[in-house]
Amino acid sequence: MDAPVARPPARWQQALASAFGSAAALLDFLGLDPAAAGVSAAAAAAFPVRVPRGFAARMRPGDPADPRRRQVLPLGAETLAAPGYVTDPVGDLAALRSPGLIHKYSGRVLLVATGACAVHCRYCFRREFPYAEHAQGPAQLRANLAAIAADPTITEVILSGGDPLLRTDDWLAGTLAALAGIPHLRRVRLHTRVPVVLPERVDAGLTGVLAACALPLTVVLHCNHPRELAAGVRAACADLRAAGATLLNQSVLLRGVNDDAGVLADLAADLFAAGVLPYYLHQLARVHGTAHFAVDDAEALALGAALAARLPGYLVPRLVREVPGAAAKLPLPGARAT
């Protein structure tokens, strides 16, 4: 019997393989001096650089303040200790039900589909998560699906990571079909940054898989700045909607990136124009190495009030913080109710 023929890499896999893997290469591409940019070899060693070339191509050459560049470049500030910044700021490990299955909130669980991401965001709250201990190999995935099937209180499963859209179409199709076969599940959700930083991934194969999903499907994107919404990203959003997905967005409030009411208002309006509803604006999760991104609560509340004054209510994202052990994500005290 002939051996199966290996499939050639898809276009998105080729694009991912060519991503920048060093700060030096990225800075050379952007025409920036490493010393002037404040790059740290120690920070890059602790959390490696990964930036798709297509995403880097949207950054302004020679601009050290480009908000997209600031999200991905390892700076010396990451190596400075800061009080209150920890390894697991949102309590993932305490909420583990089994390897790779996180159960924090009533009625829903999060399945860590993979530890891989298309881009390494420097503020990532799971940058120190022990992914190697929570890999979803076939046996572990079967065990986690069985645990979900055995608990009728679970009505929604969130595929997250890492980024679930870096799994193959076959893996996604099989997992979604298995979830659809669990009678008490009502919804499935994908949390992903891939359509924003690697829109090539949203191809006919993926949209076919998503369109075949028998459960109502929500795709929660992660976009922080209106300059991230290039034409290819908007096209990817249109294709996801055509596949039947409801699109939401969650952003992180980041110093030097989007800590400006005008930027946040433009982001909300541009997302809506692309068929994506603003959902959450997160206060920074305090993981080691990210204190330079923090915006204090008083300023965050002022930004939230400014957004409420500028935008209709349905375009104002909920300003929240994730607190370990809480029953839900919590609005900042004094935040406008939405």
Side-chain angles (χ1 to χ4, degrees), residues 217-296:
L217 175 67
T218 300
V219 175
V220 182
L221 303 177
H222 175 185
C223 181
N224 293 318
H225 194 283
R227 290 185 197 165
E228 296 178 21
L229 289 167
V233 179
R234 295 193 299 272
C237 291
D239 289 343
L240 290 169
R241 292 178 65 210
T246 297
L247 302 186
L248 306 176
N249 184 69
Q250 53 185 349
S251 303
V252 181
L253 184 57
L254 300 167
R255 177 72 66 194
V257 175
N258 58 12
D259 54 331
D260 178 272
V263 167
L264 291 171
D266 287 346
L267 175 60
D270 291 353
L271 284 166
F272 189 72
V276 184
L277 194 65
Y279 174 41
Y280 279 142
L281 177 60
H282 289 272
Q283 267 291 53
L284 181 74
R286 294 175 180 172
V287 67
H288 286 312
T290 65
H292 57 295
F293 284 115
V295 176
D296 66 43

Coordinates of all heavy atoms in Angstrom, one line a residue, residues 217-296:
L217 N -21.1 29.8 16.5 CA -19.7 30.0 16.6 C -19.4 31.5 16.7 O -19.9 32.3 15.9 CB -19.0 29.5 15.3 CG -17.5 29.8 15.2 CD1 -16.7 29.0 16.3 CD2 -17.0 29.4 13.8
T218 N -18.6 31.9 17.7 CA -18.2 33.2 17.9 C -16.7 33.3 17.8 O -16.0 32.4 18.4 CB -18.6 33.8 19.3 OG1 -20.0 33.8 19.4 CG2 -18.1 35.2 19.5
V219 N -16.2 34.2 17.0 CA -14.7 34.4 16.9 C -14.4 35.7 17.6 O -14.9 36.8 17.2 CB -14.2 34.4 15.5 CG1 -12.7 34.7 15.4 CG2 -14.5 33.0 14.8
V220 N -13.6 35.6 18.7 CA -13.2 36.8 19.4 C -11.8 37.2 18.9 O -10.8 36.5 19.2 CB -13.2 36.6 20.9 CG1 -12.9 37.9 21.6 CG2 -14.6 36.2 21.3
L221 N -11.7 38.3 18.2 CA -10.4 38.8 17.7 C -9.7 39.6 18.8 O -10.2 40.0 19.8 CB -10.6 39.7 16.5 CG -11.4 39.1 15.3 CD1 -11.5 40.1 14.2 CD2 -10.7 37.8 14.8
H222 N -8.4 39.8 18.6 CA -7.6 40.6 19.5 C -6.9 41.7 18.6 O -5.9 41.4 17.9 CB -6.6 39.8 20.2 CG -5.6 40.5 21.1 ND1 -4.6 39.9 21.7 CD2 -5.5 41.8 21.4 CE1 -3.9 40.8 22.4 NE2 -4.5 42.0 22.2
C223 N -7.4 42.9 18.6 CA -6.9 44.0 17.8 C -6.8 45.2 18.8 O -7.8 45.5 19.5 CB -7.8 44.3 16.7 SG -7.2 45.7 15.6
N224 N -5.6 45.9 18.8 CA -5.4 46.9 19.8 C -5.3 48.3 19.2 O -5.4 49.3 20.0 CB -4.1 46.7 20.5 CG -4.1 45.4 21.4 OD1 -5.1 45.2 22.1 ND2 -3.1 44.6 21.4
H225 N -5.2 48.5 17.9 CA -5.0 49.8 17.3 C -5.6 49.8 15.9 O -5.5 48.8 15.2 CB -3.5 50.1 17.3 CG -3.1 51.5 17.0 ND1 -3.3 52.1 15.8 CD2 -2.7 52.5 17.8 CE1 -2.9 53.4 15.8 NE2 -2.6 53.7 17.1
P226 N -6.2 50.9 15.5 CA -6.8 51.0 14.2 C -5.8 50.7 13.1 O -6.3 50.2 12.0 CB -7.4 52.4 14.1 CG -6.8 53.2 15.2 CD -6.4 52.2 16.3
R227 N -4.6 51.0 13.2 CA -3.6 50.7 12.2 C -3.4 49.2 11.9 O -2.8 48.9 10.9 CB -2.2 51.4 12.5 CG -2.3 52.9 12.4 CD -0.9 53.4 12.6 NE -0.9 54.8 13.0 CZ 0.2 55.5 13.5 NH1 1.3 54.8 13.7 NH2 0.1 56.8 13.8
E228 N -3.9 48.4 12.8 CA -3.8 47.0 12.6 C -4.8 46.5 11.6 O -4.7 45.4 11.0 CB -3.9 46.2 13.9 CG -2.8 46.5 14.9 CD -3.0 45.8 16.2 OE1 -3.8 44.8 16.3 OE2 -2.5 46.2 17.2
L229 N -5.8 47.3 11.3 CA -7.0 46.8 10.4 C -6.7 47.1 9.0 O -7.4 48.0 8.3 CB -8.3 47.5 10.9 CG -8.8 46.9 12.2 CD1 -9.9 47.8 12.8 CD2 -9.3 45.5 12.1
A230 N -5.7 46.5 8.4 CA -5.3 46.6 7.0 C -6.4 45.9 6.1 O -7.3 45.2 6.6 CB -3.9 46.0 6.8
A231 N -6.3 46.2 4.8 CA -7.3 45.6 3.9 C -7.4 44.1 4.0 O -8.5 43.5 4.0 CB -6.9 46.0 2.5
G232 N -6.2 43.4 4.2 CA -6.3 42.0 4.3 C -7.0 41.5 5.5 O -7.6 40.5 5.5
V233 N -6.8 42.3 6.6 CA -7.5 41.9 7.8 C -9.0 42.1 7.7 O -9.8 41.3 8.1 CB -7.0 42.8 9.0 CG1 -7.7 42.5 10.3 CG2 -5.5 42.6 9.2
R234 N -9.4 43.2 7.1 CA -10.9 43.4 6.8 C -11.5 42.3 5.9 O -12.6 41.9 6.1 CB -11.1 44.8 6.2 CG -10.7 46.0 7.2 CD -11.2 47.3 6.7 NE -10.7 47.7 5.4 CZ -9.5 48.3 5.2 NH1 -8.8 48.7 6.2 NH2 -9.1 48.7 4.0
A235 N -10.7 41.9 4.9 CA -11.2 40.8 4.1 C -11.3 39.5 4.8 O -12.3 38.8 4.7 CB -10.2 40.7 2.9
A236 N -10.3 39.3 5.7 CA -10.4 38.1 6.6 C -11.7 38.1 7.5 O -12.4 37.1 7.6 CB -9.2 37.9 7.4
C237 N -12.0 39.3 8.0 CA -13.2 39.4 8.8 C -14.4 39.2 8.0 O -15.4 38.5 8.5 CB -13.2 40.8 9.4 SG -12.0 41.2 10.7
A238 N -14.5 39.7 6.8 CA -15.6 39.4 5.9 C -15.8 37.9 5.6 O -16.9 37.4 5.6 CB -15.5 40.2 4.6
D239 N -14.7 37.2 5.4 CA -14.7 35.8 5.1 C -15.2 35.0 6.4 O -16.0 34.0 6.3 CB -13.4 35.3 4.7 CG -13.0 35.8 3.3 OD1 -13.9 36.2 2.6 OD2 -11.8 35.7 3.0
L240 N -14.8 35.4 7.6 CA -15.2 34.8 8.8 C -16.7 35.0 9.0 O -17.4 34.1 9.4 CB -14.4 35.3 10.0 CG -13.0 34.9 10.1 CD1 -12.3 35.7 11.1 CD2 -12.8 33.4 10.3
R241 N -17.2 36.2 8.7 CA -18.6 36.4 8.9 C -19.4 35.6 7.8 O -20.5 35.1 8.1 CB -18.9 37.9 8.7 CG -18.4 38.8 9.8 CD -18.7 40.3 9.6 NE -20.1 40.5 9.6 CZ -20.7 41.5 8.9 NH1 -20.0 42.3 8.0 NH2 -22.0 41.7 8.9
A242 N -18.9 35.5 6.6 CA -19.6 34.7 5.6 C -19.6 33.3 6.0 O -20.6 32.5 5.5 CB -18.9 34.9 4.2
A243 N -18.7 32.8 6.8 CA -18.7 31.4 7.3 C -19.7 31.2 8.4 O -19.8 30.1 8.9 CB -17.3 31.0 7.7
G244 N -20.3 32.3 8.8 CA -21.4 32.1 9.9 C -20.9 32.5 11.3 O -21.7 32.4 12.2
A245 N -19.7 33.1 11.4 CA -19.2 33.4 12.7 C -19.7 34.8 13.1 O -19.7 35.7 12.3 CB -17.7 33.4 12.8
T246 N -20.0 34.9 14.4 CA -20.2 36.3 15.0 C -18.8 36.8 15.5 O -18.0 36.0 16.1 CB -21.1 36.2 16.2 OG1 -22.4 35.7 15.8 CG2 -21.2 37.5 16.9
L247 N -18.5 38.0 15.1 CA -17.2 38.5 15.4 C -17.2 39.6 16.5 O -18.0 40.6 16.4 CB -16.5 39.2 14.2 CG -16.4 38.3 12.9 CD1 -15.6 39.0 11.9 CD2 -15.7 37.0 13.3
L248 N -16.4 39.4 17.5 CA -16.2 40.3 18.6 C -14.7 40.7 18.7 O -13.9 40.0 18.1 CB -16.7 39.7 20.0 CG -18.1 39.2 20.1 CD1 -18.3 38.5 21.4 CD2 -19.1 40.3 19.8
N249 N -14.4 41.7 19.4 CA -13.0 42.1 19.6 C -12.7 42.4 21.1 O -13.5 43.0 21.8 CB -12.6 43.3 18.8 CG -11.1 43.6 18.9 OD1 -10.3 42.9 18.4 ND2 -10.8 44.7 19.6
Q250 N -11.6 41.9 21.5 CA -11.1 42.4 22.8 C -9.7 43.0 22.6 O -8.8 42.5 21.9 CB -11.0 41.2 23.8 CG -10.3 40.0 23.4 CD -10.4 38.9 24.4 OE1 -10.9 39.1 25.5 NE2 -10.0 37.7 24.1
S251 N -9.5 44.1 23.3 CA -8.2 44.8 23.3 C -7.7 44.9 24.7 O -8.4 44.7 25.7 CB -8.4 46.3 22.8 OG -9.0 46.3 21.5
V252 N -6.4 45.2 24.7 CA -5.7 45.4 26.0 C -5.3 46.9 26.0 O -4.8 47.4 25.0 CB -4.5 44.5 26.2 CG1 -3.8 44.8 27.5 CG2 -4.8 43.1 26.1
L253 N -5.6 47.6 27.1 CA -5.2 49.0 27.2 C -3.7 49.0 27.5 O -3.2 48.5 28.5 CB -6.0 49.6 28.4 CG -5.7 51.1 28.6 CD1 -6.0 51.9 27.3 CD2 -6.6 51.6 29.7
L254 N -2.9 49.6 26.6 CA -1.4 49.6 26.6 C -0.8 51.0 26.5 O -1.1 51.7 25.6 CB -0.9 48.7 25.5 CG -1.4 47.3 25.4 CD1 -1.1 46.7 24.0 CD2 -0.8 46.5 26.5
R255 N 0.0 51.3 27.5 CA 0.8 52.5 27.4 C 1.6 52.6 26.2 O 2.3 51.7 25.8 CB 1.7 52.6 28.7 CG 2.6 53.9 28.7 CD 1.8 55.1 29.0 NE 1.2 55.0 30.4 CZ 0.2 55.9 30.8 NH1 -0.3 56.8 29.9 NH2 -0.3 55.8 32.0
G256 N 1.5 53.7 25.5 CA 2.2 54.0 24.3 C 1.7 53.3 23.0 O 2.3 53.4 22.0
V257 N 0.6 52.6 23.2 CA -0.1 51.9 22.0 C -1.5 52.5 21.8 O -1.7 53.0 20.7 CB -0.1 50.4 22.3 CG1 -0.9 49.7 21.1 CG2 1.3 49.8 22.4
N258 N -2.3 52.4 22.8 CA -3.7 52.9 22.6 C -4.3 53.6 23.7 O -5.5 53.7 23.9 CB -4.6 51.7 22.2 CG -4.6 50.6 23.3 OD1 -4.1 50.8 24.4 ND2 -5.1 49.4 23.0
D259 N -3.4 54.2 24.6 CA -3.9 55.0 25.7 C -4.3 56.4 25.3 O -3.8 57.4 25.9 CB -2.8 55.0 26.8 CG -1.4 55.5 26.3 OD1 -1.1 55.3 25.1 OD2 -0.7 56.0 27.1
D260 N -5.2 56.5 24.4 CA -5.7 57.7 23.9 C -7.1 57.6 23.4 O -7.4 56.6 22.7 CB -4.8 58.1 22.7 CG -5.2 59.4 22.0 OD1 -6.1 59.3 21.1 OD2 -4.7 60.5 22.4
A261 N -8.0 58.5 23.9 CA -9.4 58.3 23.6 C -9.7 58.4 22.1 O -10.5 57.6 21.6 CB -10.2 59.4 24.3
G262 N -9.0 59.2 21.3 CA -9.2 59.3 19.9 C -8.8 58.0 19.2 O -9.5 57.5 18.3
V263 N -7.7 57.4 19.6 CA -7.3 56.1 19.0 C -8.3 55.0 19.3 O -8.7 54.2 18.5 CB -5.9 55.7 19.6 CG1 -5.6 54.2 19.2 CG2 -4.8 56.6 19.0
L264 N -8.7 54.9 20.6 CA -9.7 53.9 21.0 C -11.1 54.1 20.2 O -11.7 53.1 19.9 CB -9.9 53.9 22.5 CG -8.7 53.4 23.3 CD1 -8.9 53.7 24.8 CD2 -8.5 51.9 23.1
A265 N -11.5 55.4 20.1 CA -12.7 55.6 19.3 C -12.6 55.2 17.9 O -13.5 54.6 17.3 CB -13.1 57.1 19.5
D266 N -11.4 55.5 17.3 CA -11.2 55.1 15.9 C -11.2 53.6 15.8 O -11.7 53.0 14.8 CB -9.9 55.7 15.4 CG -10.0 57.2 15.1 OD1 -11.1 57.8 15.1 OD2 -8.9 57.8 14.9
L267 N -10.6 53.0 16.7 CA -10.5 51.5 16.7 C -11.9 50.9 16.8 O -12.3 50.0 16.0 CB -9.7 51.0 17.9 CG -9.7 49.5 18.1 CD1 -9.1 48.8 16.9 CD2 -8.9 49.1 19.3
A268 N -12.8 51.4 17.7 CA -14.1 50.9 17.8 C -14.9 51.1 16.5 O -15.6 50.2 16.0 CB -14.9 51.6 18.9
A269 N -14.8 52.3 15.9 CA -15.5 52.6 14.7 C -15.0 51.8 13.5 O -15.8 51.2 12.7 CB -15.4 54.1 14.3
D270 N -13.7 51.6 13.4 CA -13.2 50.8 12.3 C -13.5 49.3 12.5 O -13.7 48.6 11.5 CB -11.7 51.0 12.2 CG -11.3 52.4 11.8 OD1 -12.2 53.2 11.4 OD2 -10.1 52.8 11.8
L271 N -13.5 48.8 13.7 CA -13.9 47.4 13.9 C -15.3 47.2 13.5 O -15.6 46.2 12.8 CB -13.7 47.1 15.4 CG -12.3 46.8 15.9 CD1 -12.3 46.8 17.4 CD2 -11.8 45.5 15.4
F272 N -16.2 48.1 13.8 CA -17.6 48.0 13.5 C -17.8 48.0 12.0 O -18.6 47.2 11.4 CB -18.4 49.1 14.1 CG -19.9 48.8 14.0 CD1 -20.6 47.8 14.7 CD2 -20.7 49.6 13.1 CE1 -22.0 47.6 14.5 CE2 -22.0 49.5 13.0 CZ -22.7 48.4 13.7
A273 N -17.0 48.9 11.3 CA -17.1 48.9 9.8 C -16.6 47.6 9.2 O -17.1 47.3 8.1 CB -16.2 50.1 9.3
A274 N -15.8 46.9 9.9 CA -15.3 45.6 9.4 C -16.2 44.5 9.9 O -15.9 43.3 9.6 CB -13.9 45.4 9.9
G275 N -17.3 44.8 10.5 CA -18.2 43.7 11.0 C -17.9 43.1 12.3 O -18.3 42.0 12.6
V276 N -17.1 43.8 13.1 CA -16.6 43.3 14.4 C -17.1 44.2 15.5 O -17.0 45.4 15.4 CB -15.1 43.3 14.5 CG1 -14.6 42.6 15.8 CG2 -14.5 42.5 13.2
L277 N -17.8 43.6 16.5 CA -18.3 44.5 17.6 C -17.3 44.6 18.7 O -16.8 43.5 19.2 CB -19.6 43.8 18.1 CG -20.5 44.7 19.1 CD1 -21.0 45.9 18.3 CD2 -21.6 43.9 19.7
P278 N -16.9 45.8 19.2 CA -16.1 45.9 20.4 C -16.7 45.2 21.6 O -17.9 45.4 21.8 CB -15.9 47.4 20.6 CG -16.3 48.0 19.2 CD -17.3 47.1 18.6
Y279 N -15.9 44.5 22.3 CA -16.4 43.6 23.4 C -15.7 44.0 24.7 O -16.4 44.5 25.6 CB -16.1 42.2 23.0 CG -16.4 41.1 23.9 CD1 -17.5 41.1 24.7 CD2 -15.5 40.0 24.1 CE1 -17.8 40.1 25.6 CE2 -15.8 38.9 24.9 CZ -16.9 39.0 25.7 OH -17.2 37.9 26.6
Y280 N -14.4 43.8 24.8 CA -13.7 44.1 26.1 C -12.5 45.0 25.8 O -11.9 44.9 24.8 CB -13.1 42.8 26.7 CG -14.0 42.0 27.5 CD1 -14.0 40.6 27.5 CD2 -15.0 42.5 28.4 CE1 -14.8 39.8 28.2 CE2 -15.8 41.7 29.2 CZ -15.7 40.4 29.1 OH -16.5 39.6 29.8
L281 N -12.3 45.9 26.7 CA -11.0 46.6 26.8 C -10.4 46.2 28.2 O -10.9 46.6 29.2 CB -11.3 48.2 26.8 CG -10.0 49.0 26.9 CD1 -9.0 48.7 25.8 CD2 -10.4 50.5 26.9
H282 N -9.4 45.4 28.1 CA -8.8 44.8 29.4 C -7.8 45.8 30.0 O -6.9 46.3 29.3 CB -8.1 43.5 29.0 CG -9.0 42.4 28.7 ND1 -9.6 41.6 29.6 CD2 -9.5 41.9 27.5 CE1 -10.3 40.6 29.0 NE2 -10.3 40.9 27.7
Q283 N -7.9 45.9 31.3 CA -6.7 46.4 32.0 C -5.6 45.4 31.9 O -5.9 44.2 31.9 CB -7.0 46.8 33.4 CG -7.4 48.2 33.7 CD -6.3 49.2 33.5 OE1 -5.6 49.2 32.4 NE2 -6.0 50.0 34.5
L284 N -4.4 45.8 31.8 CA -3.2 44.9 31.7 C -3.2 43.8 32.8 O -3.3 44.2 34.0 CB -1.9 45.7 31.8 CG -0.6 45.0 31.6 CD1 -0.4 44.6 30.1 CD2 0.5 45.9 32.0
A285 N -3.0 42.6 32.4 CA -2.8 41.5 33.3 C -1.3 41.6 33.8 O -0.4 41.7 32.9 CB -3.0 40.2 32.7
R286 N -1.1 41.7 35.1 CA 0.2 42.0 35.6 C 1.2 40.8 35.6 O 1.5 40.2 36.7 CB 0.1 42.6 37.0 CG -0.6 44.0 36.9 CD -0.9 44.5 38.3 NE -1.6 45.8 38.2 CZ -2.1 46.5 39.2 NH1 -2.0 46.0 40.4 NH2 -2.7 47.7 39.0
V287 N 1.7 40.4 34.4 CA 2.6 39.4 34.3 C 4.0 40.0 34.3 O 4.2 41.1 33.9 CB 2.4 38.5 33.1 CG1 2.6 39.3 31.8 CG2 3.1 37.2 33.1
H288 N 5.0 39.2 34.8 CA 6.4 39.6 34.8 C 6.8 40.3 33.5 O 6.5 39.8 32.4 CB 7.3 38.5 35.1 CG 7.3 37.9 36.4 ND1 7.4 38.8 37.6 CD2 7.3 36.7 36.9 CE1 7.4 38.0 38.6 NE2 7.3 36.8 38.3
G289 N 7.5 41.4 33.6 CA 8.0 42.1 32.4 C 7.2 43.0 31.6 O 7.5 43.5 30.5
T290 N 6.0 43.3 32.1 CA 5.0 44.1 31.4 C 4.6 45.5 32.0 O 3.8 46.1 31.5 CB 3.7 43.3 31.1 OG1 3.1 43.1 32.3 CG2 4.0 42.0 30.4
A291 N 5.3 45.8 33.1 CA 4.9 47.0 33.9 C 4.9 48.3 33.0 O 4.1 49.2 33.3 CB 5.7 47.2 35.1
H292 N 5.8 48.3 32.0 CA 6.0 49.6 31.2 C 4.7 49.8 30.3 O 4.6 50.9 29.8 CB 7.2 49.5 30.4 CG 7.3 48.3 29.5 ND1 7.4 47.0 30.0 CD2 7.4 48.2 28.1 CE1 7.5 46.2 29.0 NE2 7.5 46.8 27.8
F293 N 3.9 48.8 30.2 CA 2.7 48.9 29.4 C 1.5 49.4 30.2 O 0.4 49.7 29.7 CB 2.3 47.6 28.8 CG 3.1 47.2 27.6 CD1 3.9 46.0 27.6 CD2 3.0 47.9 26.4 CE1 4.6 45.6 26.5 CE2 3.7 47.5 25.3 CZ 4.6 46.3 25.4
A294 N 1.6 49.5 31.6 CA 0.5 49.7 32.4 C -0.1 51.1 32.3 O 0.7 52.1 32.2 CB 0.9 49.4 33.9
V295 N -1.4 51.2 32.4 CA -2.1 52.5 32.5 C -2.9 52.4 33.8 O -3.6 51.4 34.1 CB -3.1 52.6 31.3 CG1 -4.0 53.9 31.4 CG2 -2.3 52.6 30.0
D296 N -2.8 53.4 34.7 CA -3.4 53.3 36.0 C -4.9 53.4 35.8 O -5.4 53.9 34.8 CB -2.8 54.4 37.0 CG -3.1 55.8 36.6 OD1 -4.3 56.1 36.2 OD2 -2.2 56.6 36.7

